[in-house]
Amino acid sequence: MRAVIIHAPRDLRVETVTVPETGAGDVRIRIGAGGICGSDLHYYQHGGFGAVRIKEPMILGHEIAGTVESVGAAVTRVAPGDRVAVNPSRPCGYCRYCLEGKANQCLDMRFFGSAMRLPHVQGAFREVLVAPESQMVRLDPSVPLAEAAFAEPLAVCLHAANRAGPLLGRRVLVTGCGPIGVLSVIAARRAGAAEIVATDVADAPLAIARAVGADRAINIASEPDALGPYGADKGTFDVLIEASGNERALVGALDALRSQSIVVQVGLGGEFKIPINTIVVKEIEVRGAFRFYKEFELAAELIAKRLVDVRPLLTATLPLERAVEAFELASDRSRAMKVQLAFT
Amino acid sequence: MRAVIIHAPRDLRVETVTVPETGAGDVRIRIGAGGICGSDLHYYQHGGFGAVRIKEPMILGHEIAGTVESVGAAVTRVAPGDRVAVNPSRPCGYCRYCLEGKANQCLDMRFFGSAMRLPHVQGAFREVLVAPESQMVRLDPSVPLAEAAFAEPLAVCLHAANRAGPLLGRRVLVTGCGPIGVLSVIAARRAGAAEIVATDVADAPLAIARAVGADRAINIASEPDALGPYGADKGTFDVLIEASGNERALVGALDALRSQSIVVQVGLGGEFKIPINTIVVKEIEVRGAFRFYKEFELAAELIAKRLVDVRPLLTATLPLERAVEAFELASDRSRAMKVQLAFT
Amino acid sequence: MRAVIIHAPRDLRVETVTVPETGAGDVRIRIGAGGICGSDLHYYQHGGFGAVRIKEPMILGHEIAGTVESVGAAVTRVAPGDRVAVNPSRPCGYCRYCLEGKANQCLDMRFFGSAMRLPHVQGAFREVLVAPESQMVRLDPSVPLAEAAFAEPLAVCLHAANRAGPLLGRRVLVTGCGPIGVLSVIAARRAGAAEIVATDVADAPLAIARAVGADRAINIASEPDALGPYGADKGTFDVLIEASGNERALVGALDALRSQSIVVQVGLGGEFKIPINTIVVKEIEVRGAFRFYKEFELAAELIAKRLVDVRPLLTATLPLERAVEAFELASDRSRAMKVQLAFT
Amino acid sequence: MRAVIIHAPRDLRVETVTVPETGAGDVRIRIGAGGICGSDLHYYQHGGFGAVRIKEPMILGHEIAGTVESVGAAVTRVAPGDRVAVNPSRPCGYCRYCLEGKANQCLDMRFFGSAMRLPHVQGAFREVLVAPESQMVRLDPSVPLAEAAFAEPLAVCLHAANRAGPLLGRRVLVTGCGPIGVLSVIAARRAGAAEIVATDVADAPLAIARAVGADRAINIASEPDALGPYGADKGTFDVLIEASGNERALVGALDALRSQSIVVQVGLGGEFKIPINTIVVKEIEVRGAFRFYKEFELAAELIAKRLVDVRPLLTATLPLERAVEAFELASDRSRAMKVQLAFT
């Protein structure tokens, strides 16, 4: 079968690899759709991020959905022909975090298409995937695989929403309208936010933020003072979901945040220089949010029931053999929100 | 009566001022003991901190206890002869924060001895204080006023403990062992922490941290790697109470903190450069804690019942007329933890 | 002006009363729509409930919206011509509950059309209402008053949802599909519930529960064992919103509830005989929910933004003069979900 | 070796049984002290409780501490000679509750000396116990085994305290002063409760409640109106820990509980008839608390550090061969709080 393999920055190849055997607890899937994620782009553009670097060829991809081809002898929950969304995370199930219900913090996590470990955990941009049943979420046959492949990034945002605490009636600011920001708008709306304001420095993603339900979308580059009025009486927003990974987005929003408001930092960045006295005096909480755990199943369920609608995010779908073109398109924020690969 | 008045950095004078009239809702108190706080020292040494600067002469002091001399006609809860701890904060009682139970975030707070407003709110280092009944907490006559004057800084630390969430069974790191750090050790112990480790860069305050119940007290200057072993398996501490206001204390502790641990930042500082990816990936929460609200009454009650013992913190008590000497002593961390003024 | 006045059980009269003067802080409103609530029906049918009994003639009604006619000199937030939803609750703003953000538990609450106090607090089924500005929520002029009059019962259900904690992704059972049950379905869906099952003993309200978004609606009288399968592996539902006030609804649901699930008891009833060992061993939480506080503004905002759609609940609107007929219709669950009076 | 075996109500025998083999992951312990629990007494007096009945001879006992004799080849955390408290609960580690950090709700729990399963899980009142390493908590050699044997019932109470949420500064009522009630007083004090009132119908246990730190202990049989004054202004107590399993204790306390207060029901009982309107209108929360999970380790640590002092509870220690006498003594509340067996 063919797979999308990163060898070095800008060296992405579609190559033939062998299909692993299907163990007793495994499921063999024909991948239907695979979304290109920001971390895939980091491997493609820079060979990694921070201390995480490609040290050997690695199949990319972890936002995927497909159709079951066959199952191992011990598999009971899915059957050939089933549509599935595939959870790319495989926690150990034994460590203290797994036993505390915090499997996303597992001490021995295997995550598709991640160079955190060596040997790297190979990813899922391939025609056929073999993975344990535990990673499969069975879908209603009516769910389009292209939508199901959004389960993973939506799960990230549902986890961010969970990290924010109850959102019913809250006023929410979302900074950064890439896929994670826009899906955070969707998650916050689904969770009952009363008002959602989104910011970005580009118009194209802001239009999509509006389309998925943001009450207001602000180009903070062209309207740098637009958050000013939200700063009256020690601020307006109960929650900031910071999805840009940009220090200025967080710091620039502090005045608009209420006392005792919550910042969920989901965007990765470098070092942030933070005026700590503002955090102290207004008693703001900054909470990291990383990946997801049981939110993956929830994401698949919300998509399947159309309780969320992810379709406005899908920019284009390119066939596997045009993977490089797809990665280039995905790298251009002015043209692309989410680009998917088709594998069949 | 005499009062301790700051005119400019290093220009602290004991001067005579007139006693205000006692309104119908007011209580007139003879002050017994007044503790010198870090913010008093900032006014003394630097004329303020950040944007808060002395613009007119201001009586300092807000950690006080005394004895009721007389009461206004409408006062019902205290009577002449009662011992009282005086809450230095007077929230408006009408703003949205007051009506949400977050009076420490009041939009119109008056806090004794604070230059945040102009005219400044005059402080309580004076022989006689007249203040509204709402600021009085009646004490059992057996409570020494010197201990009762710790109610205010203890309240700060109880508020920090409350901001941390339940501490029963938690492993707590306290960085910075000034009075706020040491009282945070006391608060965490009282709240049921299983293990408390304290750090500082000086030995004298660490000895007091140990005396009030820290399981371990580390001089992080002489043992810079001492927190290393706590970093195993993604960290040990559930909670960090950061009481130094020093960026290095927070950043240096991140590895020793568990995933999804909570940092309560109570120390004021400048800009902190924070590796945001660590916050994100370990899902750490950084929560500001500022002043207190109902914790003041709790502090007075815990002191009165000796459910906490603040006595190991009291370095020395100097009479009012030696205020400058007292401020100099209080400025020297190698010699002083908490210095109080006596007013009678 | 005319008003709807209860004199004794089944003695409901439309009578002429004088319009009170408009004080400096008051707003004078022409009422547009008023929904008949279960408590109105209790006064009509039985003269009250429990210890709360009509002791003097009382204007009924507290689910109302209208148009501002004039305002007192001190009013700033609304102006003549504005559409408003009127919050029927007027907490004191001074008691400890008000200052803790729990104004629905105010020690001195005045609630429209309630016989809890003597003299009773007169209600709002009247052509003209004069009330303090603080009870007014300004609406967009596009909002139909009939929908705005649902703000009050929706607020009850949003409060119940808030009492349940975060609902994003939760599986929710709602027992009892009167207006409160059905609006709880709406609230739970808005708050992100993944699955909602509703039960009742009558088909008509169940059909409406389905129409507003319940995944499944069960007639528990005709299908008494329908909850059985939800009891596997110690239960399915994370949350039960008990809106029937019927002991059997609560007790009959316990097996279907997960360990550590939450029951929000919003329906009033008499004595419930509860198998306490089930509560203990499964660690279920039973939480009362009573009225609302800031959820009223949220309800008005969600209705105005059509983030909830209350229209399927409205059975009929009758003019003021046919109030008795309206109350009779509202009393018949097989025909009516919510009956409103029109006042103009 | 000898063991204490229940055959039928009042038929308790000390008999000789064989010592099981020590598997690779097992630890072989010589039991030092074993406390007689209320459930042991139920088996002894009535053959069980509710639907749980002895269907075959069963060794009783689950409050134990001892000394390691030998360990299996795979054991790493304890060594011969170590003192250990033994956690009587062995959750499966695989079910959804175990993976949510709620192992006390495990779908496949094995708990020493419990007839819930058939074959029953044999208990630990025996001279030698062989059990998996995972159930061992290593103690400092200085900890007396008699104190360490309190880790289990203390863990129950720490879990109840955790179920109550943060207790720092809370006013706590404890109803029922058997060992669980008294240890709940200890747990609440350790967790920072500001005020603790305990009630019972007998004087002897109330004296012990006072000795371990209750601010007030009330004989509710001789002073049936003593809680009345706590009912002013909708109640005083933030938390009720109900440890009697008696309906009257819960119902009789409702007036004394604040609005939005929390009842932790830890005592098992039959059916409780509860005035549900009080629960609704005051928005009280009733939360079950069952056994414990990670609180066992905490209990052992708090005892070892003397952060709690359980010694006032120990009434008497009888040698194994006088087990029947020990059970009779433990059955008499006027004479006994906690009776332990000695095994060496």
Side-chain angles (χ1 to χ4, degrees):
Chain A
M1 65 163 161
R2 292 174 300 166
V4 179
I5 301 179
I6 186 79
H7 287 258
R10 301 280 167 187
D11 181 2
L12 185 75
R13 310 178 198 166
V14 178
E15 296 178 309
T16 298
V17 297
T18 56
V19 177
E21 288 195 20
T22 305
D26 287 339
V27 177
R28 178 177 162 135
I29 306 134
R30 181 153 293 272
I31 299 294
I36 298 172
C37 169
S39 70
D40 296 320
L41 292 175
H42 267 90
Y43 289 120
Y44 173 66
Q45 293 164 350
H46 311 295
F49 38 89
V52 178
R53 295 283 146 187
I54 310 167
K55 299 198 180 66
E56 58 186 358
M58 182 175 76
I59 303 176
L60 290 177
H62 56 270
E63 302 181 357
I64 45 164
T67 307
V68 175
E69 283 194 340
S70 61
V71 301
V75 169
T76 59
R77 290 188 305 105
V78 294
D82 283 351
R83 292 191 165 193
V84 290
V86 185
N87 186 335
S89 56
R90 192 189 312 168
C92 74
Y94 295 99
C95 76
R96 59 179 185 170
Y97 290 110
C98 282
L99 291 175
E100 287 175 2
K102 304 170 183 165
N104 65 320
Q105 293 291 339
C106 172
L107 295 175
D108 193 26
M109 172 68 84
R110 293 169 180 278
F111 196 93
F112 284 165
S114 166
M116 277 196 184
R117 306 168 68 111
L118 191 70
H120 302 336
V121 181
Q122 296 295 316
F125 282 167
R126 49 171 116 194
E127 289 171 304
V128 175
L129 176 74
V130 175
E133 179 183 19
S134 61
Q135 290 181 254
M136 303 297 140
V137 175
R138 199 174 163 277
L139 301 166
D140 189 274
S142 69
V143 183
L145 293 179
E147 293 182 46
F150 277 92
E152 200 273 347
L154 178 59
V156 171
C157 300
L158 293 169
H159 183 67
N162 275 334
R163 291 284 294 158
L167 288 177
L168 181 62
R170 299 301 193 278
R171 306 200 179 278
V172 178
L173 178 64
V174 176
T175 49
C177 288
I180 294 303
V182 169
L183 290 167
S184 291
V185 169
I186 289 176
R189 188 99 278 169
R190 183 67 269 159
E195 181 181 4
I196 303 174
V197 175
T199 68
D200 200 295
V201 294
D203 288 331
L206 286 165
I208 298 177
R210 248 178 244 114
V212 300
D215 294 288
R216 187 179 174 193
I218 299 170
N219 187 323
I220 204 74
S222 50
E223 292 186 76
D225 301 327
L227 290 179
Y230 295 103
D233 286 348
K234 287 199 187 178
T236 295
F237 297 105
D238 304 292
V239 171
L240 162 62
I241 301 178
E242 205 303 284
S244 74
N246 189 314
E247 171 194 292
R248 280 173 301 171
L250 172 54
V251 174
L254 291 177
D255 282 349
L257 300 182
R258 290 194 53 162
S259 291
Q260 294 193 4
S261 58
I262 293 160
V263 176
V264 177
Q265 180 69 38
V266 62
L268 288 164
E271 285 195 316
F272 277 25
K273 205 186 288 179
I274 294 175
I276 204 71
N277 285 356
T278 305
I279 302 295
V280 172
V281 171
K282 291 182 74 172
E283 299 190 303
I284 290 170
E285 305 191 24
V286 180
R287 303 177 177 171
F290 185 59
R291 293 180 178 161
F292 50 83
Y293 169 41
K294 53 187 176 180
E295 292 92 351
F296 187 85
E297 288 190 49
L298 174 59
E301 184 170 358
L302 293 177
I303 289 170
K305 290 186 174 177
R306 280 271 166 80
L307 286 169
V308 299
D309 187 355
V310 297
R311 290 172 296 176
L313 279 84
L314 185 56
T315 305
T317 302
L318 277 72
L320 172 61
E321 54 271 22
R322 290 164 60 193
V324 171
E325 182 185 343
F327 272 68
E328 286 295 329
L329 174 59
S331 300
D332 182 352
R333 294 195 75 216
S334 71
R335 291 192 298 147
M337 175 59 69
K338 177 62 73 182
V339 177
Q340 289 187 348
L341 296 173
F343 291 80
T344 46
Chain B
M1 67 163 160
R2 293 174 300 166
V4 178
I5 302 178
I6 186 79
H7 288 258
R10 301 279 168 188
D11 181 2
L12 186 74
R13 310 179 197 166
V14 178
E15 295 178 310
T16 298
V17 296
T18 57
V19 176
E21 289 196 18
T22 305
D26 288 338
V27 176
R28 179 178 162 132
I29 307 134
R30 182 153 293 273
I31 299 294
I36 298 171
C37 169
S39 70
D40 296 319
L41 293 175
H42 267 91
Y43 289 120
Y44 174 67
Q45 294 164 349
H46 312 294
F49 38 90
V52 179
R53 294 284 146 187
I54 309 167
K55 300 197 181 66
E56 58 185 0
M58 182 175 77
I59 303 176
L60 290 177
H62 55 270
E63 302 181 356
I64 46 166
T67 307
V68 175
E69 284 194 341
S70 61
V71 301
V75 168
T76 60
R77 290 189 303 105
V78 293
D82 282 350
R83 293 192 164 190
V84 290
V86 185
N87 186 334
S89 56
R90 192 191 312 169
C92 73
Y94 295 99
C95 76
R96 58 179 183 168
Y97 290 110
C98 282
L99 291 174
E100 288 175 2
K102 304 169 184 167
N104 64 321
Q105 292 292 339
C106 172
L107 295 174
D108 193 26
M109 172 68 84
R110 293 169 180 278
F111 196 93
F112 284 165
S114 165
M116 278 196 184
R117 306 169 68 112
L118 191 71
H120 301 337
V121 182
Q122 296 295 317
F125 283 167
R126 49 172 113 196
E127 290 171 304
V128 175
L129 176 75
V130 175
E133 179 184 20
S134 61
Q135 292 181 252
M136 303 297 140
V137 175
R138 197 174 164 278
L139 301 166
D140 189 273
S142 68
V143 183
L145 293 178
E147 293 183 47
F150 278 92
E152 200 272 347
L154 178 59
V156 171
C157 301
L158 292 169
H159 182 67
N162 274 334
R163 291 285 294 158
L167 289 177
L168 180 62
R170 300 300 193 279
R171 307 203 177 275
V172 177
L173 177 65
V174 176
T175 50
C177 288
I180 295 301
V182 168
L183 289 167
S184 293
V185 170
I186 289 176
R189 188 99 279 167
R190 183 67 268 160
E195 182 181 3
I196 303 174
V197 175
T199 68
D200 200 293
V201 295
D203 287 332
L206 287 165
I208 298 177
R210 245 176 247 115
V212 299
D215 294 286
R216 186 178 174 194
I218 299 170
N219 187 323
I220 203 75
S222 50
E223 292 185 77
D225 301 327
L227 291 179
Y230 294 102
D233 287 349
K234 288 197 185 180
T236 295
F237 297 105
D238 304 292
V239 172
L240 163 63
I241 301 177
E242 205 303 285
S244 75
N246 189 315
E247 170 193 292
R248 281 172 300 171
L250 172 53
V251 174
L254 292 177
D255 282 349
L257 300 181
R258 289 195 52 162
S259 290
Q260 295 193 3
S261 58
I262 293 160
V263 176
V264 177
Q265 180 68 40
V266 64
L268 288 163
E271 285 194 318
F272 277 24
K273 206 187 287 179
I274 293 174
I276 205 71
N277 285 356
T278 305
I279 303 294
V280 172
V281 170
K282 290 181 75 171
E283 299 191 302
I284 290 170
E285 306 191 25
V286 181
R287 304 176 176 173
F290 185 59
R291 292 179 178 163
F292 49 83
Y293 169 42
K294 53 187 176 180
E295 291 93 351
F296 186 85
E297 288 190 49
L298 173 60
E301 183 170 358
L302 293 178
I303 289 170
K305 289 187 174 176
R306 280 272 164 80
L307 286 169
V308 300
D309 187 355
V310 297
R311 290 172 295 176
L313 281 83
L314 185 55
T315 306
T317 303
L318 278 72
L320 172 60
E321 55 271 21
R322 289 166 61 196
V324 171
E325 181 185 344
F327 272 68
E328 287 295 328
L329 174 60
S331 301
D332 181 353
R333 295 195 74 216
S334 72
R335 290 193 296 147
M337 175 59 69
K338 175 63 72 182
V339 177
Q340 289 188 347
L341 296 173
F343 291 81
T344 45
Chain C
M1 67 161 160
R2 293 174 299 167
V4 179
I5 302 178
I6 186 80
H7 287 258
R10 301 279 169 189
D11 181 1
L12 186 74
R13 309 178 199 166
V14 177
E15 296 177 310
T16 299
V17 297
T18 56
V19 176
E21 289 194 20
T22 305
D26 288 338
V27 176
R28 179 177 161 133
I29 306 134
R30 183 151 293 271
I31 299 293
I36 299 171
C37 169
S39 70
D40 296 320
L41 292 175
H42 267 90
Y43 288 120
Y44 174 66
Q45 293 164 351
H46 311 295
F49 38 90
V52 179
R53 295 283 146 187
I54 310 167
K55 299 198 180 66
E56 59 185 359
M58 182 176 77
I59 303 176
L60 290 177
H62 55 271
E63 302 181 357
I64 46 166
T67 307
V68 175
E69 283 193 341
S70 62
V71 302
V75 169
T76 60
R77 289 189 304 105
V78 294
D82 282 351
R83 293 191 164 192
V84 290
V86 185
N87 186 334
S89 56
R90 193 190 312 168
C92 73
Y94 296 99
C95 76
R96 58 179 183 169
Y97 290 110
C98 282
L99 290 175
E100 287 175 2
K102 304 171 183 166
N104 65 321
Q105 293 292 338
C106 172
L107 295 174
D108 193 25
M109 173 68 82
R110 294 169 179 279
F111 197 93
F112 285 165
S114 165
M116 277 197 184
R117 306 169 68 112
L118 191 70
H120 301 336
V121 181
Q122 296 296 315
F125 283 167
R126 48 172 115 194
E127 290 171 304
V128 175
L129 176 75
V130 175
E133 180 184 19
S134 61
Q135 291 181 253
M136 303 297 140
V137 175
R138 197 174 164 279
L139 301 166
D140 189 274
S142 68
V143 183
L145 292 178
E147 293 182 47
F150 277 93
E152 200 272 347
L154 178 59
V156 171
C157 301
L158 292 169
H159 183 67
N162 274 334
R163 291 285 293 158
L167 288 177
L168 180 61
R170 300 300 193 277
R171 307 202 177 275
V172 178
L173 177 66
V174 176
T175 50
C177 287
I180 295 302
V182 169
L183 290 168
S184 292
V185 169
I186 289 176
R189 188 98 278 168
R190 183 67 269 158
E195 182 181 5
I196 303 175
V197 176
T199 67
D200 200 295
V201 295
D203 287 332
L206 286 165
I208 298 176
R210 247 177 245 114
V212 300
D215 293 287
R216 187 178 174 194
I218 299 170
N219 187 321
I220 202 75
S222 50
E223 291 186 76
D225 301 327
L227 290 179
Y230 295 103
D233 286 349
K234 288 199 187 179
T236 295
F237 296 105
D238 303 292
V239 171
L240 163 62
I241 300 177
E242 205 304 284
S244 74
N246 189 314
E247 170 194 293
R248 280 172 301 172
L250 172 53
V251 174
L254 291 177
D255 281 350
L257 300 181
R258 291 194 52 162
S259 290
Q260 295 193 3
S261 58
I262 293 160
V263 176
V264 177
Q265 181 68 40
V266 64
L268 288 163
E271 285 194 317
F272 277 24
K273 206 187 286 179
I274 293 175
I276 204 71
N277 285 357
T278 305
I279 302 295
V280 172
V281 171
K282 289 180 75 170
E283 300 190 302
I284 290 170
E285 305 191 24
V286 181
R287 302 177 177 173
F290 185 60
R291 291 179 178 163
F292 50 83
Y293 170 41
K294 54 187 176 179
E295 292 92 351
F296 187 85
E297 287 191 49
L298 174 59
E301 183 170 359
L302 293 178
I303 289 170
K305 290 186 174 176
R306 280 274 165 78
L307 286 169
V308 300
D309 187 355
V310 297
R311 291 172 296 176
L313 280 84
L314 184 55
T315 305
T317 303
L318 277 74
L320 171 60
E321 54 271 21
R322 289 165 62 194
V324 171
E325 182 185 342
F327 272 69
E328 286 295 328
L329 174 59
S331 300
D332 181 354
R333 294 195 76 216
S334 72
R335 291 193 297 149
M337 175 59 70
K338 177 61 73 182
V339 177
Q340 288 188 349
L341 296 174
F343 292 80
T344 47
Chain D
M1 66 163 160
R2 292 174 300 165
V4 178
I5 302 179
I6 186 79
H7 287 258
R10 302 279 168 189
D11 181 2
L12 186 74
R13 309 179 198 166
V14 177
E15 296 179 309
T16 298
V17 297
T18 55
V19 177
E21 289 196 19
T22 305
D26 288 338
V27 176
R28 178 177 162 135
I29 307 133
R30 182 152 293 272
I31 299 294
I36 298 172
C37 169
S39 69
D40 295 320
L41 292 175
H42 267 89
Y43 288 120
Y44 173 66
Q45 293 164 352
H46 311 295
F49 38 89
V52 179
R53 295 282 146 188
I54 309 167
K55 299 197 180 66
E56 59 185 359
M58 182 175 77
I59 302 176
L60 290 177
H62 54 271
E63 302 181 357
I64 46 166
T67 307
V68 176
E69 284 194 339
S70 61
V71 301
V75 169
T76 60
R77 290 189 303 106
V78 293
D82 283 350
R83 292 192 164 191
V84 289
V86 185
N87 186 335
S89 57
R90 191 192 313 170
C92 74
Y94 295 99
C95 76
R96 59 180 183 168
Y97 290 110
C98 281
L99 290 175
E100 288 175 2
K102 304 169 183 167
N104 65 321
Q105 293 291 338
C106 172
L107 296 174
D108 193 26
M109 173 68 84
R110 294 169 179 279
F111 196 93
F112 284 166
S114 165
M116 278 196 182
R117 305 168 68 111
L118 191 70
H120 301 337
V121 181
Q122 296 295 317
F125 282 167
R126 50 171 112 194
E127 291 172 302
V128 175
L129 176 75
V130 175
E133 179 184 19
S134 62
Q135 292 182 252
M136 304 296 139
V137 175
R138 197 172 164 279
L139 302 165
D140 189 273
S142 67
V143 184
L145 293 179
E147 292 183 47
F150 276 92
E152 201 273 347
L154 178 60
V156 170
C157 301
L158 292 168
H159 183 67
N162 274 334
R163 291 285 293 159
L167 289 177
L168 180 62
R170 300 299 193 279
R171 306 202 179 277
V172 178
L173 178 65
V174 176
T175 50
C177 289
I180 294 301
V182 169
L183 289 168
S184 292
V185 170
I186 289 175
R189 189 98 278 167
R190 183 67 269 159
E195 182 181 4
I196 302 174
V197 176
T199 68
D200 199 296
V201 294
D203 287 331
L206 286 164
I208 297 176
R210 245 177 247 113
V212 299
D215 294 287
R216 187 179 173 193
I218 299 170
N219 186 324
I220 204 74
S222 49
E223 292 186 77
D225 302 326
L227 290 179
Y230 294 103
D233 287 348
K234 288 198 185 179
T236 296
F237 297 105
D238 304 292
V239 172
L240 163 62
I241 301 177
E242 205 303 284
S244 75
N246 190 314
E247 171 194 293
R248 280 173 300 171
L250 172 54
V251 174
L254 292 177
D255 281 350
L257 300 182
R258 290 195 53 163
S259 291
Q260 295 192 3
S261 58
I262 293 160
V263 176
V264 177
Q265 181 68 40
V266 63
L268 288 163
E271 285 195 317
F272 276 25
K273 205 186 288 178
I274 294 175
I276 203 71
N277 285 355
T278 306
I279 302 294
V280 172
V281 171
K282 290 180 74 172
E283 300 191 302
I284 290 169
E285 304 191 26
V286 181
R287 303 176 178 174
F290 185 59
R291 292 179 179 163
F292 50 83
Y293 169 42
K294 52 187 177 180
E295 292 93 352
F296 187 84
E297 288 191 49
L298 174 60
E301 184 170 358
L302 293 178
I303 289 170
K305 289 187 176 177
R306 279 272 165 81
L307 286 168
V308 300
D309 187 355
V310 298
R311 290 172 296 176
L313 279 83
L314 185 56
T315 306
T317 303
L318 277 72
L320 172 60
E321 55 270 22
R322 289 166 61 194
V324 170
E325 182 185 342
F327 272 68
E328 286 295 329
L329 174 59
S331 301
D332 182 353
R333 295 195 76 216
S334 72
R335 291 193 296 147
M337 176 58 70
K338 177 62 74 183
V339 177
Q340 288 188 348
L341 296 173
F343 291 80
T344 45

